[in-house]
Amino acid sequence: QITLKESGPTLVKPTQTLTLTCSFSGFSLSTADGVGVAWIRQTPGKALEWLALIYWDGGYRYSPSLRSRLTITKDSSKQQVVLTMTNMDPVDTGTYYCAHHSLNAGAFDVWGQGTVVTVSS
Amino acid sequence: IVMTQSPATLSVSPGERITLSCRASHYIASNLAWYQQKPGQAPRLLIFGASTRAAGIPPRFGGSGSGTEFTLTISSLQSEDFAVYYCQHYNNYTFGQGTKLEIK
């Protein structure tokens, strides 16, 4: 059974860097069938916004609109994926999810519960 | 690629058959997924490959389409189906803006 769980600060100040950790189990991110882990966010009242994705082989992709602010890394031995987002702004307030990118489905087949991040001074 | 969903909100009664639409601004073959999100919950994958139900999804949920036009059909709405539905192009991972199903 695949599970994912997000962790990180609930409150960050404007201009600070946000670091979120996704801890997962039920698959390996060091073999091809593990495929990848993605980060997605949802700002208040808004739709879902894909942020970044890291593949089992270390390859990655970023949202073009946020590319300059994002870094995604993985530690397969710890079964963790870390997302950093620089220069946080109040408009970045929202719920941040990590999700498993499925080999078979091509989509995000299992999601974490999400973690709420508020950006405020 | 921009994903456009319609309508934004749909008011329906339990037992009705409904169809939600998703349009891609460019050709995306069958690389489309549908998700359901209930308040306070993470999204749940319903459909991938435009028409394949994910594990554990009831058969009342059906997806169709290819290219640029896609639909999600719920054959007989149950009370637990009232939620927001998103489509996603999973080559560039773009989501549509969602369709909210509300009780009439």
Side-chain angles (χ1 to χ4, degrees):
Chain A
Q1 180 190 4
I2 292 174
T3 64
L4 306 100
K5 186 174 184 179
E6 307 86 351
S7 60
T10 57
L11 179 65
V12 297
K13 291 180 169 31
T15 75
Q16 285 186 339
T17 293
L18 171 68
T19 299
L20 295 173
T21 300
C22 176
S23 301
F24 60 86
S25 63
F27 66 98
S28 171
L29 205 47
S30 56
T31 59
D33 58 358
V35 188
V37 171
W39 285 95
I40 305 101
R41 73 177 179 180
Q42 189 166 36
T43 50
K46 295 295 182 64
L48 301 166
E49 180 181 20
W50 168 71
L51 301 177
L53 171 64
I54 191 162
Y55 297 97
W56 68 277
D57 61 357
Y60 53 84
R61 292 179 61 181
Y62 296 118
S63 165
S65 62
L66 293 166
R67 179 190 310 273
S68 64
R69 298 174 54 202
L70 297 172
T71 303
I72 190 169
T73 59
K74 68 180 179 79
D75 186 329
S76 298
S77 63
K78 290 184 178 179
Q79 295 196 293
Q80 291 181 335
V81 171
V82 174
L83 180 76
T84 61
M85 180 180 290
T86 61
N87 194 25
M88 292 293 285
D89 184 271
V91 300
D92 296 314
T93 293
T95 301
Y96 287 72
Y97 299 97
C98 63
H100 175 248
H101 180 44
S102 164
L103 173 66
N104 292 333
F108 304 149
D109 62 340
V110 183
W111 295 58
Q113 65 190 22
T115 187
V116 177
V117 177
T118 301
V119 184
S120 175
S121 55
Chain B
I1 295 178
V2 177
M3 308 301 294
T4 302
Q5 292 185 242
S6 61
T9 304
L10 189 59
S11 297
V12 293
S13 300
E16 285 188 37
R17 176 188 176 91
I18 63 98
T19 299
L20 309 182
S21 294
C22 176
R23 174 177 293 178
S25 60
H26 295 77
Y27 178 83
I28 63 168
S30 296
N31 297 319
L32 185 101
W34 289 94
Y35 299 86
Q36 176 194 66
Q37 187 179 31
K38 297 179 181 179
Q41 296 185 17
R44 176 176 71 146
L45 178 66
L46 297 176
I47 301 285
F48 62 91
S51 61
T52 302
R53 279 189 302 276
I57 301 304
R60 66 179 181 272
F61 291 92
S64 64
S66 67
T68 60
E69 301 282 345
F70 303 87
T71 59
L72 175 70
T73 300
I74 308 176
S75 59
S76 178
L77 272 171
Q78 306 298 302
S79 57
E80 61 266 30
D81 299 336
F82 291 92
V84 180
Y85 292 83
Y86 295 96
C87 62
Q88 181 201 30
H89 166 40
Y90 55 79
N91 277 7
N92 68 2
Y93 309 112
T94 308
F95 291 91
Q97 77 277 25
T99 292
K100 182 178 180 181
L101 278 187
E102 60 180 29
I103 300 176
K104 185 185 291 184

